[in-house]
Amino acid sequence: TGSNILSALQDLFWLLKSKVEKQLQIISVLQWVLTFLIMGIACTLILMYILCTDCWAIAALYLAWLVFDWNTPKKGGRRSQWVRNWAIWRYFRDYFPIRLVKTHNLLTTRNYIFGYHPHGIMGLGAFCNFSTEATGVSQKFPGIRPYLATLAGNFRMPILRDYLMSGGICPVNRDSIDYILSKNGNGNAIIIVVGGAAESLNCTPGKNSVTLKNRKGFVKLALRHGADLVPVYSFGENEVYKQVIFEEGSWGRWVQKKFQKHIGFAPCIFHGRGLFSSTTWGLLPYSKPITTVVGEPITIPKIDNPSQKDVDFYHSIYVDSLIKLFDKYKSKFGLPETEVLEVN
């Protein structure tokens, strides 16, 4: 009958739409993974190649502008709301999916340092939640400007630096953080993945551990600027990739630590799923849910020259707040009540 045919066509339409959306989600994640892994090197090589062709003037003009613009990343960057609102980021969000959970309001009269945990392999939750508008960070925290801090070396790469800045990403160095917290008004929130490369070496599915005991520089920065500290935990960040973990003292761990010390990142041997099948190995992360919970801000006084005692005191408060945040929400996001956050 006509109604049966119409019903069948509607079912076919929704099936096709679902498949198209899934492919768009895969493409959106793939482009970001390739950006993370090779865009900086690829753009550098392409620029060098163009210099050797008849189009050398284009590359020369860009390099001249690059010299002129060199310090922009240290001065808050050059964010683009257009880029942050690209539809591709919504497909990126839905692939996992990624969610942002607000627990407390943030005052626009204050500045903040968010401590993001754990690092995972690529910090997927940190990027999606704070460098795009896919999860509605500007609606959840109106008047707050998030700046995700990452390796300063990324901003020495042509084209990549501009792409990162358009999302509100800044170098994780003192000059950049000092500028944002002291010369950019109020309502700024710098997101620092505190565990860094060292933490990424230990991330594996089923493990909830953070590298934090001896990471106190972000607390000292908060005290110097009177910026409130906000613990952030991302449930599921460690679930999206599987990694070969080298034991302490092994040759593999020695190589990783050397890279970390001299270059700033640690090479990890990891894998996700394949491009065409979830049962094969590849670079795509597994589609596991990531839920990022932003905790209660810790009020920090402004101390121009904080003593080690001051730093240790507020660091201990921060660690306790992070553990309480983890314990409060762990069962809600799939972990057993017996699960304990390991602080290294």
Side-chain angles (χ1 to χ4, degrees):
T1 65
S3 61
N4 287 339
I5 293 174
L6 182 60
S7 177
L9 288 174
Q10 287 176 335
D11 291 342
L12 179 61
F13 170 78
W14 288 113
L15 179 63
L16 290 174
K17 183 179 179 181
S18 176
K19 287 185 176 180
V20 169
E21 286 187 347
K22 187 61 180 177
Q23 294 305 313
L24 289 173
Q25 290 170 11
I26 290 173
I27 292 170
S28 69
V29 175
L30 178 62
Q31 68 82 26
W32 189 87
V33 171
L34 293 177
T35 297
F36 183 90
L37 294 176
I38 66 171
M39 183 177 177
I41 295 173
C43 289
T44 302
L45 293 175
I46 290 171
L47 199 65
M48 292 173 63
Y49 171 75
I50 293 175
L51 279 172
C52 300
T53 68
D54 293 339
C55 298
W56 63 270
I58 297 174
L61 284 172
Y62 177 80
L63 289 174
W65 180 81
L66 185 63
V67 172
F68 174 77
D69 193 58
W70 190 254
N71 289 323
T72 298
K74 299 178 183 179
K75 297 180 179 180
R78 188 170 45 246
R79 72 174 56 217
S80 166
Q81 287 302 118
W82 176 65
V83 174
R84 287 175 60 88
N85 282 285
W86 277 353
I88 196 171
W89 305 132
R90 295 193 291 275
Y91 290 112
F92 182 95
R93 172 199 66 196
D94 294 338
Y95 173 85
F96 297 94
I98 296 174
R99 291 175 56 210
L100 180 65
V101 176
K102 169 186 174 180
T103 62
H104 291 79
N105 292 324
L106 298 181
L107 300 175
T108 57
T109 56
R110 300 284 292 174
N111 285 324
Y112 301 90
I113 293 180
F114 287 18
Y116 184 92
H117 313 269
H119 182 286
I121 295 292
M122 296 185 183
L124 293 158
F127 172 81
C128 184
N129 285 308
F130 301 112
S131 293
T132 79
E133 294 295 331
T135 56
V137 62
S138 293
Q139 286 72 44
K140 288 183 170 71
F141 301 103
I144 301 298
R145 293 180 298 275
Y147 294 86
L148 177 61
T150 188
L151 289 175
N154 290 325
F155 296 89
R156 301 187 186 103
M157 302 283 190
I159 310 299
L160 175 63
R161 66 190 291 278
D162 303 290
Y163 189 41
L164 294 177
M165 283 193 292
S166 68
I169 301 177
C170 68
V172 61
N173 58 33
R174 181 170 172 175
D175 290 343
S176 177
I177 295 173
D178 281 347
Y179 183 91
I180 293 171
L181 295 180
S182 63
K183 299 179 182 179
N184 201 40
N186 294 323
N188 302 292
I190 298 179
I191 298 88
I192 300 177
V193 186
V194 178
E199 192 171 82
S200 68
L201 297 178
N202 295 315
C203 72
T204 187
K207 186 174 183 180
N208 288 283
S209 66
V210 296
T211 302
L212 183 57
K213 279 185 179 178
N214 297 316
R215 299 292 175 109
K216 301 180 180 180
F218 73 106
V219 178
K220 189 172 184 179
L221 280 169
L223 286 165
R224 289 179 61 244
H225 294 284
D228 293 349
L229 289 172
V230 182
V232 179
Y233 197 85
S234 213
F235 294 90
E237 186 72 63
N238 285 346
E239 308 298 317
V240 296
Y241 279 110
K242 295 179 181 179
Q243 180 183 191
V244 177
I245 304 292
F246 293 102
E247 298 294 330
E248 289 291 342
S250 66
W251 67 269
R253 183 53 65 98
W254 179 84
V255 170
Q256 287 176 324
K257 287 189 173 181
K258 287 295 181 182
F259 265 83
Q260 179 190 338
K261 180 179 179 181
H262 297 292
I263 301 179
F265 73 92
C268 302
I269 300 177
F270 65 91
H271 73 84
R273 54 156 288 182
L275 180 60
F276 302 106
S277 172
S278 60
T279 59
T280 58
W281 288 11
L283 289 176
L284 279 177
Y286 294 105
S287 53
K288 303 288 185 178
I290 298 174
T291 305
T292 303
V293 184
V294 180
E296 182 178 4
I298 303 165
T299 303
I300 302 295
K302 188 177 187 303
I303 304 175
D304 292 333
N305 294 296
S307 65
Q308 190 59 49
K309 185 178 179 180
D310 294 325
V311 174
D312 291 342
F313 175 73
Y314 285 101
H315 181 267
S316 65
I317 293 176
Y318 178 85
V319 173
D320 290 342
S321 296
L322 178 64
I323 293 173
K324 288 177 181 177
L325 180 70
F326 177 84
D327 289 339
K328 182 177 179 179
Y329 288 94
K330 61 185 177 183
S331 61
K332 187 175 181 180
F333 300 119
L335 298 178
E337 283 289 349
T338 55
E339 184 72 18
V340 176
L341 179 62
E342 181 183 331
V343 180
N344 299 314

